[in-house]
Amino acid sequence: MRGIEHWQLYSALKFVELVQDLFPPGVIQALTGDDRLGPQMCQHAGIQKISFTGSIKTGKAIMTAAAPTLKRLTLELGGNGASIICPDVDISKTAVQVAIGSFTNSGQYCLASERIADENKDGNGISLGPVQNAMQYGIVRGFIQDCRDKGYNFALGSDTGSESSFMLKPTVVDNPPDDSIIVKEEPVWYILALPDPFDN
């Protein structure tokens, strides 16, 4: 298990510490390091498989680095989960479930819904916590700024926030194009794209 790029999550290290007694020695390990660690792992002849969750750019770099040793790879790249709300649902119950799925942990987890296909587009009065760190804050601001620069319609939010607190308001982009970065990439934050379900 290698830590997240540019910062190491304490929870990952603690997890590895807690499960050591459940596995034979050496089966599960936590490695920390700088940007050289990933390529070294990909090129090491003693490592037979790499599993990675993250960006498409990094996934391509892993494929390239792992090719000479023919490593098996599992890559989960650029996830951007969708919630499709059908017309026959109980909207009051479904809205709560979708909000939980989108905004739990301030939307900063891999399973968060980031696109919602729904005929009833609304969202007000939502208040959530800050982005986890400065690097991620910059990435999220980039998503919002890209949408603003391209003239997309914001149903909610559009503020690029405060650098001193890493606070951003929840943002909903109404019907962005399928090739926009807000649809194609994973912001890991509570920015939702509401595509027109009938255009796709």
Side-chain angles (χ1 to χ4, degrees):
M1 177 182 295
R2 177 183 179 261
I4 293 176
E5 188 176 357
H6 299 299
W7 72 92
Q8 175 63 56
L9 290 178
Y10 172 74
S11 59
L13 293 174
K14 190 65 177 176
F15 170 79
V16 172
E17 177 189 328
L18 292 172
V19 300
Q20 284 300 307
D21 293 338
L22 303 176
F23 295 93
V27 169
I28 185 166
Q29 302 174 36
L31 302 177
T32 60
D34 58 21
D35 290 342
R36 295 171 293 181
L37 179 59
Q40 289 171 349
M41 290 175 66
C42 290
Q43 296 162 7
H44 195 285
I47 296 175
Q48 297 176 1
K49 178 172 172 84
I50 299 284
S51 178
F52 172 76
T53 300
S55 72
I56 293 170
K57 178 181 175 183
T58 302
K60 288 179 178 180
I62 289 170
M63 288 185 80
T64 301
T69 55
L70 295 176
K71 280 187 180 42
R72 291 178 297 127
L73 300 175
T74 299
L75 305 174
E76 194 274 303
L77 307 176
N80 195 312
S83 292
I84 300 171
I85 302 174
C86 299
D88 60 343
V89 301
D90 180 333
I91 196 66
S92 61
K93 289 182 181 176
T94 303
V96 171
Q97 293 168 340
V98 170
I100 290 169
S102 298
F103 300 132
T104 295
N105 198 31
S106 295
Q108 297 175 87
Y109 72 113
C110 291
L111 300 177
S113 291
E114 295 167 353
R115 292 178 292 138
I116 299 173
D118 179 22
E119 295 177 26
N120 303 303
K121 301 173 182 177
D122 190 16
N124 293 299
I126 299 167
S127 177
L128 301 167
V131 181
Q132 182 184 19
N133 57 60
M135 184 186 80
Q136 187 62 31
Y137 177 77
I139 291 169
V140 174
R141 282 185 66 178
F143 275 94
I144 295 171
Q145 191 61 52
D146 180 75
C147 292
R148 290 173 72 178
D149 292 347
K150 292 183 174 151
Y152 300 158
N153 182 44
F154 287 85
L156 180 69
S158 84
D159 182 13
T160 53
S162 164
E163 287 188 46
S164 62
S165 65
F166 301 153
M167 291 295 292
L168 288 164
K169 293 180 180 175
T171 302
V172 177
V173 183
D174 190 13
N175 200 20
D178 288 341
D179 62 351
S180 61
I181 65 165
I182 192 66
V183 171
K184 290 171 54 178
E185 297 184 20
E186 183 178 16
V188 191
W189 181 248
Y190 39 79
I191 301 175
L192 300 178
L194 295 178
D196 186 337
F198 303 107
D199 282 350
N200 299 318

